[in-house]
Amino acid sequence: MSASAPAPTIDQLIDELIAREGGYVDHKADRGGPTRFGITEAVARAHGYTGPMSLLPQAEAAAIYRRLYWLRPRFDQVQRRAPRIAAELFDTGANMGPGVAVTFLQRALTALNRNGKDYPDLTPDGRIGPITLAAIDAFLALRKAEGETVLLRALEALQGERYLRLAEKRPANEAFIYGWLANRIGNVD
């Protein structure tokens, strides 16, 4: 997405995510078990779906993404400030969990605050609240559009490092590492 392009809507982000995730998958190396449209069986059940995972309706998956991976972690609040960052957080959160994505954001913002000169350090608690939003505002006020690009790169660096660590820690994850790096890093422009 270029700086002048309109921010994608959450519906567009969900459609793009579902297209990347594909349909029904039950890979033996995936600890999450059966998924459809990237929604694990545990998440689908926790949100009231009782049918076979292979038949999870796309509309239900989209509703789960909107509720659990967009609104609950407050990525809609980030989108008002930094659309590309919100899109990255949504994608990372859908893959690794929203708390992990937010922790990446908080760590990156703290590393970029010039030892607290621009805004206070953040506690990487995985939750977006007024302090994290104020840090985004202060960072972007100082660094402008280029700052959003740099912050996006920092988020992707943290995400890539975590993928490599997951593959090193659990060799079965090597079945997924290529796809994670190919489809999750650098897909928001």
Side-chain angles (χ1 to χ4, degrees):
M1 178 172 91
S2 70
S4 61
T9 66
I10 183 53
D11 292 328
Q12 290 168 322
L13 293 174
I14 290 170
D15 288 347
E16 291 168 7
L17 178 62
I18 286 174
R20 276 193 307 282
E21 290 289 349
Y24 177 73
V25 178
D26 189 6
H27 194 287
K28 65 182 179 177
D30 188 348
R31 287 184 172 170
T35 66
R36 182 155 160 96
F37 307 119
I39 300 293
T40 65
E41 186 170 20
V43 168
R45 300 287 181 242
H47 287 83
Y49 180 69
T50 59
M53 280 306 294
S54 61
L55 299 178
L56 176 73
Q58 185 169 333
E60 193 150 348
I64 291 170
Y65 278 127
R66 177 185 307 279
R67 190 171 52 251
L68 188 62
Y69 299 97
W70 183 254
L71 295 173
R72 184 180 293 171
R74 301 185 72 195
F75 295 154
D76 58 320
Q77 299 294 311
V78 176
Q79 186 182 42
R80 294 180 187 144
R81 296 157 165 84
R84 294 186 302 155
I85 299 304
E88 179 65 26
L89 293 171
F90 172 69
D91 184 69
T92 301
N95 186 246
M96 297 182 171
V100 172
V102 174
T103 299
F104 289 168
L105 173 67
Q106 292 165 329
R107 288 177 58 204
L109 284 167
T110 295
L112 292 165
N113 74 356
R114 298 184 314 140
N115 295 312
K117 290 181 182 126
D118 299 331
Y119 47 87
D121 285 350
L122 299 173
T123 300
D125 63 6
R127 294 183 306 238
I128 292 178
I131 296 170
T132 299
L133 293 172
I136 294 169
D137 291 340
F139 176 76
L140 294 174
L142 180 66
R143 301 295 184 174
K144 313 288 187 238
E146 181 182 9
E148 188 175 2
T149 299
V150 169
L151 184 55
L152 180 61
R153 289 177 184 160
L155 293 173
E156 290 180 339
L158 290 165
Q159 182 182 16
E161 191 280 331
R162 182 175 167 109
Y163 287 139
L164 293 172
R165 207 168 3 103
L166 288 171
E168 290 168 346
K169 186 175 176 181
R170 182 174 177 260
N173 284 334
E174 288 185 15
F176 309 113
I177 188 75
Y178 186 89
W180 288 337
L181 294 172
N183 297 312
R184 297 285 181 179
I185 305 293
N187 68 336
V188 177
D189 282 323

